[in-house]
Amino acid sequence: MARLVTPFGYKLQTELSNEFSRMDSEWFFPWHGLNSGCDINVDNFDGRRIRLGGVRFEGCEPVYWAAVKRYLTNKISEAFDLADREIRESGQANAPRIAEDAASAMEEYCWRIRRQAIDTDRRLQGRGYPDPEYSSPHADRMEFASDIARRKAALVSFHVPEEAPEPSLPPPPPLTLSKRFERVYDRNKGKWATVALVIGAIGIAFRYFF
């Protein structure tokens, strides 16, 4: 059975779908201008801009992939900040489900952006004749699943306090000598009865024969 998504999860998925369209038109598409001899001016996702012109993409590939990685790192932080705010407003009981929705939506989005980045890279490298087998080593080194898992775990841990361990009972007082004897006697009642019968029989035989 499919897991039910929270209202926050649906909202985040919609926002990320719109964000992908924006990134495609406002960030990935302008890079194609390099092959036409046009200048480009796009966000570097660190408060600065990437301004290039009169160069080939090969020399800019590290800059391109560093910006993609920085963008995804920022989006992951933004998504979990939104999840944190949602949990504070809706209650701690919703924390696990909201955190799971944030993680699921972001992982899907990161893979989608990565695929688009690879496709754009291929087209720029091939200058209109992309090699479908080419994958940039920068893309192969890109990893975001561990960051998402870490943020998810931290969010749940912060909002769902661990249950306090039950207080341990004090150890029982040591048994007295009489109590120990009673316990031994109770465990061996059958044996004591047998021993008594044997001793009694010996006594009767002793009086009868001697």
Side-chain angles (χ1 to χ4, degrees):
M1 182 181 294
R3 185 180 63 85
L4 295 178
V5 180
T6 63
F8 168 80
Y10 282 117
K11 180 181 178 182
L12 181 59
Q13 289 173 359
T14 301
E15 290 178 355
L16 290 176
S17 178
N18 294 335
E19 173 64 8
F20 179 84
S21 298
R22 186 193 70 81
M23 274 290 289
D24 187 31
S25 61
E26 296 182 12
W27 199 84
F28 286 111
F29 181 75
W31 281 92
H32 293 276
L34 289 179
N35 286 345
S36 304
C38 301
D39 295 346
I40 68 167
N41 182 347
V42 294
D43 196 350
N44 198 40
F45 307 113
D46 61 356
R48 298 177 296 174
R49 306 286 297 179
I50 298 174
R51 295 181 174 86
L52 298 170
V55 296
R56 290 189 173 184
F57 177 73
E58 290 90 328
C60 310
E61 190 178 18
V63 175
Y64 169 89
W65 280 103
V68 172
K69 179 177 177 59
R70 193 159 40 245
Y71 167 76
L72 290 180
T73 298
N74 293 344
K75 293 305 292 184
I76 291 170
S77 293
E78 181 182 317
F80 280 98
D81 286 345
L82 291 173
D84 176 67
R85 189 183 310 164
E86 180 70 17
I87 292 169
R88 294 176 187 275
E89 293 177 355
S90 64
Q92 292 181 331
N94 298 317
R97 293 179 61 205
I98 291 174
E100 178 63 31
D101 282 350
S104 178
M106 279 312 305
E107 188 162 356
E108 180 180 348
Y109 182 72
C110 287
W111 280 110
R112 191 178 182 190
I113 287 291
R114 183 180 181 274
R115 288 192 296 269
Q116 184 68 8
I118 290 174
D119 182 68
T120 302
D121 188 325
R122 286 172 178 166
R123 294 175 184 278
L124 293 172
Q125 294 277 5
R127 296 181 182 82
Y129 300 94
D131 179 1
E133 301 299 324
Y134 175 75
S135 179
S136 169
H138 298 283
D140 296 337
R141 291 193 295 268
M142 181 173 289
E143 202 279 326
F144 39 77
S146 60
D147 188 21
I148 292 173
R150 179 181 58 81
R151 292 297 301 265
K152 171 187 170 183
L155 188 63
V156 174
S157 176
F158 180 80
H159 286 286
V160 181
E162 295 182 1
E163 294 184 2
E166 295 183 1
S168 57
L169 297 175
L175 295 175
T176 63
L177 185 60
S178 60
K179 288 291 186 182
R180 292 180 186 176
F181 180 79
E182 289 178 8
R183 181 168 293 183
V184 172
Y185 177 78
D186 289 339
R187 290 176 181 171
N188 300 277
K189 283 183 178 180
K191 294 180 180 180
W192 290 123
T194 302
V195 171
L197 288 174
V198 171
I199 293 174
I202 293 172
I204 293 173
F206 184 83
R207 288 197 301 268
Y208 180 80
F209 290 104
F210 299 96

